[in-house]
Structures are given as C-alpha cells and as structure tokens.
Amino acid sequence: MLRRAEIVVVGLALALVVLGISVRVALAPLVTSTLVEATGGVTNSGLDAVTAEQLAQEIRGYVTGTNEGPLPAQVGAREGFSADAVSHLDDVRGVITASGWATLVLSAALGAWCIWRWKTSQRTSVAQVMRAGAVWIVVGIPVAAVLAMTDFDRFFAGFHGLFFESGTWQFPAGDLLIQLFPEPFWMSAAVLVAALSLAGAVALTLFSRVIGNDRVHDA
C-alpha cells in the first residue's frame, strides 16, 4: 500500500498545481479588463475607458512577460508609472515567472509519478492522491478566506511580505498603479482563484471516483 506520507506530499503537490493553473487563468486578458472595469479602476484613474483598459493590459503583459515595456511615465496630463512602481512590477514578474516554472515542474513530476503508479497496477494510489489534493484545496481555501475576511489588510500585507521586501509594494492612494488596481480588484481576483481551485478540487474528486471504481487494485 502507498504510504500515507507519500499520499499527503504528492496530494499537496497536486493542490499547488491546481492553484498555479487557477492563477494563470486569472491572469487572462479578459479577466483583467473585466475586473478593472467592475472594481472601479477606470473611474479611479480619471482616464477614459479605452486608455484605462489599454494600460491595464500593458501591466498584465508586463508582469506575465508578454510585454517588455517600457511602461509610460506620463499618461496624457497626469503622471504615469513611477520608477518605484516599475520596480515593484519587475518583482511581480519575477514571482509570476517563478510560480509558472514551479507549476510546470510539479506537473511534470506528478505526471511521471502517475505513469509509474499506473504501470505498476496501483491505480487506486492515483485516486488516493487525487482525493488528498482535493482535501488540501477544500481545507486551505476556507482557512485563507477566514483569515482574509477577519483582517484583509493584515492578510494582504502578510501575503506580500512572503514575496516582496518591506516598503517596495506600498504606494500612495493617488498612484496610477493603485487607482487602476484598487483593493476590490485584488479581492475579486482572489475570489476567482479560490473558485477555480475549488472547481479543480471537484474535478479531482470525480476523477478519483472513476479511477477508484476500476477493477484493478493496488498490488
């Protein structure tokens, strides 16, 4: 039988892959434009809708590596993106790039593990890991949600503290970057990532049942 520790560890890796994929989906152009408009980014910036959406897409492209910049220091009659803002976005791009590679590496490792277990007639082991991954997500998402709802500012600061140096990610309320992507934007994006991850947990549970009902059991 597969050791419990292996189930827990591989299940965690699977949950992280689901989370990584959910984040990539949330970084889609349509999601960015929809959330910027819905959460007040256009109104806050004082820019027309076309310009605001264009800038939001430039930022999205910059942090995902599809737009090398430079980002405008002046937008019409107002200040654009400062050197500090661009520096922070460089840090964000580094985190997103690293998370993307981590998701790919974990996906490849999980694929190899599943093939190995499948070929050794241990299909129920794969089902167990899928269920474990679903449990990690179903437990982790509500815990994060409770922490965020209890004190979102503290949760937001703690999250940023994991990836960025203190003082490099905080900007005045009048900064264009903050106006385009206000706090409601990040709350909505977090809800979307959580919903996608939970949908992934449901899919893992369904697949685990299909595999678990297979007549071939662990050797």
Side-chain angles (χ1 to χ4, degrees), residues 10 13 22 37 42 87 93 102 106 113 132 142 164 168 180 184 214 216:
V10 180
S22 299
E37 182 176 359
V42 175
S87 177
R93 177 165 57 181
L106 283 176
W113 181 89
F164 310 113
T168 63
L180 279 175
D214 196 288
V216 179

Side-chain angles (χ1 to χ4, degrees), residues 9 11 15 23 35 47 60 72 77-78 80 125 143 150-151 168 185 193 212:
V9 172
V23 170
L35 291 186
L47 302 171
R60 185 203 63 80
R78 66 158 299 166
S125 299
V143 169
T150 301
D151 189 342
T168 63
F185 175 94
V193 170

Side-chain angles (χ1 to χ4, degrees), residues 8-21:
V8 172
V9 172
V10 180
L12 175 59
L14 183 56
L16 291 175
V17 167
V18 172
L19 178 61
I21 293 173

Side-chain angles (χ1 to χ4, degrees), residues 10-11 17 28 34 50 58 69 83 88 94 106 109 131 141 148 157 176 180 195 209 212:
V10 180
V17 167
T34 300
V50 174
E58 286 185 26
H88 173 59
L106 283 176
R131 288 193 293 271
I141 294 297
L176 180 57
L180 279 175
R209 289 181 178 179

Side-chain angles (χ1 to χ4, degrees), residues 11-61:
L12 175 59
L14 183 56
L16 291 175
V17 167
V18 172
L19 178 61
I21 293 173
S22 299
V23 170
R24 299 304 298 188
V25 172
L27 286 168
L30 180 60
V31 173
T32 298
S33 60
T34 300
L35 291 186
V36 165
E37 182 176 359
T39 58
V42 175
T43 304
N44 293 339
S45 66
L47 302 171
D48 62 88
V50 174
T51 301
E53 181 174 344
Q54 180 181 352
L55 288 174
Q57 292 300 340
E58 286 185 26
I59 295 297
R60 185 203 63 80

Side-chain angles (χ1 to χ4, degrees), residues 2-12 125 128-129 132-133 136:
L2 189 63
R3 292 182 303 173
R4 181 172 298 180
E6 184 177 1
I7 295 175
V8 172
V9 172
V10 180
L12 175 59
S125 299
Q128 288 176 310
V129 163
W136 274 108

Side-chain angles (χ1 to χ4, degrees), residues 161-178:
L162 294 174
F163 303 103
F164 310 113
E165 292 185 13
S166 177
T168 63
W169 55 272
Q170 294 169 312
F171 302 93
D175 192 275
L176 180 57
L177 185 61
I178 299 301

Side-chain angles (χ1 to χ4, degrees), residues 72-84:
Q74 192 74 22
V75 180
R78 66 158 299 166
E79 183 180 0
F81 302 102
S82 65
D84 288 341

